[in-house]
Amino acid sequence: MKKPTAPIKIVFFDIDYTLYIKDETRIPTSITEQVLPRLKAKGIIPAIATGRNYEGFPEALKPLMNKDGFELFVTINGQDNLYQGRQVSDYRLSVERIQQAVEKLEKLGITYAFVSRNTIAVSENNEIVWNTTSPITKDYIVDPKFYLKDTTVQMLAYYSEERAQEVIDAGVLGSDLKAVRWNENAVDILLKDNSKARGIQDIINHFGFSIENAMAFGDGLNDVEMLETVGFGVVMGNAEPELKPFADFVTKDIREDGILYALEALEVI
């Protein structure tokens, strides 16, 4: 069994279906009763690395956002990064670039949204928007001009894989943006250079750690860069099959306490 080659000082966790069972709206008790206290006891920092914005964290996670749990957050795919309430780094889309994307999406008849630290604002509400966005937050707002009023870190666009080439051909992404799919009907739109990996590297630099001191757990395709960047990457047993080749270790399903199993098997705790 492959194991970490350097002492682990920080562990990054994706949220949905890594740390949090979204369809059951719960976090496994092994996280609260075993993982967090045992990491803390060894001086290892537990951190969140997610595509969600800070205010869009699940209610089940919020009681764990304190000195005894999580104080370090890589959010919105590594573009809004916080430690103990202080900004470590942030990346945002310019108003001009958003306007260009909006004009092209509107010509295609594709609904879009803006993501800030505190809010998701959609251009219109419809069944697809509700079905994809409400599991993240039911408190999203409808405001197609939100980007003129508040900082937009990234955009969302609501279209299926069948329209992906059409979006590219229309020039929505240009040479500087990328689309990362997180739902069969929705993608994140962000700057090409941005990812969870970039946010993680900023955090590593902030603490003066080596990347070999970092471990990460993930389950989705937006975790690829993160797993390739950290010293040791763990993929959940319930992960998308395409992600598993990027793992240093494939653990059990989230419902089988996969995080605890991996940390014990790898002798991290």
Side-chain angles (χ1 to χ4, degrees), residues 50-249:
T50 181
R52 290 177 181 250
N53 63 346
Y54 186 80
E55 289 299 323
F57 284 7
E59 289 300 317
L61 180 60
K62 291 180 180 179
L64 305 180
M65 296 164 61
N66 53 50
K67 63 181 179 60
D68 296 318
F70 296 102
E71 298 182 279
L72 179 56
F73 307 99
V74 172
T75 73
I76 318 180
N77 293 312
Q79 298 173 100
D80 186 30
N81 309 307
L82 308 165
Y83 177 56
Q84 295 181 339
R86 298 188 297 273
Q87 193 88 53
V88 175
S89 61
D90 77 289
Y91 306 95
R92 62 190 68 187
L93 292 171
S94 70
V95 169
E96 294 75 20
R97 189 62 185 90
I98 293 170
Q99 287 175 329
Q100 293 168 9
V102 163
E103 289 172 4
K104 296 180 187 301
L105 287 168
E106 287 181 342
K107 286 182 180 178
L108 294 172
I110 291 175
T111 306
Y112 52 87
F114 311 106
V115 182
S116 72
R117 179 182 299 175
N118 300 316
T119 308
I120 295 177
V122 300
S123 59
E124 64 176 278
N125 207 5
N126 54 46
E127 185 176 359
I128 289 176
V129 168
W130 173 256
N131 289 341
T132 54
T133 312
S134 63
I136 301 170
T137 176
K138 293 180 173 61
D139 295 328
Y140 64 84
I141 63 174
V142 179
D143 185 352
K145 299 297 183 183
F146 176 83
Y147 71 99
L148 298 173
K149 306 168 187 174
D150 200 350
T151 298
T152 294
V153 180
Q154 75 173 24
M155 293 182 65
L156 310 178
Y158 299 89
Y159 61 88
S160 66
E161 183 61 33
E162 287 74 18
R163 299 197 69 182
Q165 191 59 49
E166 183 184 0
V167 169
I168 293 170
D169 293 342
V172 173
L173 305 178
S175 61
D176 59 333
L177 300 180
K178 63 182 177 182
V180 179
R181 184 160 298 281
W182 54 273
N183 181 280
E184 63 181 2
N185 288 310
V187 299
D188 295 327
I189 294 181
L190 60 158
L191 291 167
K192 275 186 176 178
D193 291 340
N194 292 351
S195 67
K196 291 183 184 181
R198 186 175 189 178
I200 285 171
Q201 189 63 65
D202 290 344
I203 295 297
I204 295 299
N205 294 343
H206 175 79
F207 284 102
F209 295 157
S210 163
I211 200 66
E212 295 302 317
N213 298 131
M215 172 184 277
F217 286 76
D219 73 290
L221 294 179
N222 67 336
D223 296 320
V224 169
E225 294 97 338
M226 172 174 76
L227 295 169
E228 289 185 315
T229 296
V230 296
F232 200 91
V234 180
V235 170
M236 304 300 292
N238 52 278
E240 296 180 48
E242 298 88 346
L243 188 68
K244 292 181 179 179
F246 296 94
D248 294 304
F249 182 80

Side-chain angles (χ1 to χ4, degrees), residues 38-49:
R38 290 172 68 181
L39 286 175
K40 291 278 187 174
K42 292 200 69 172
I44 299 170
I45 301 170
I48 297 293

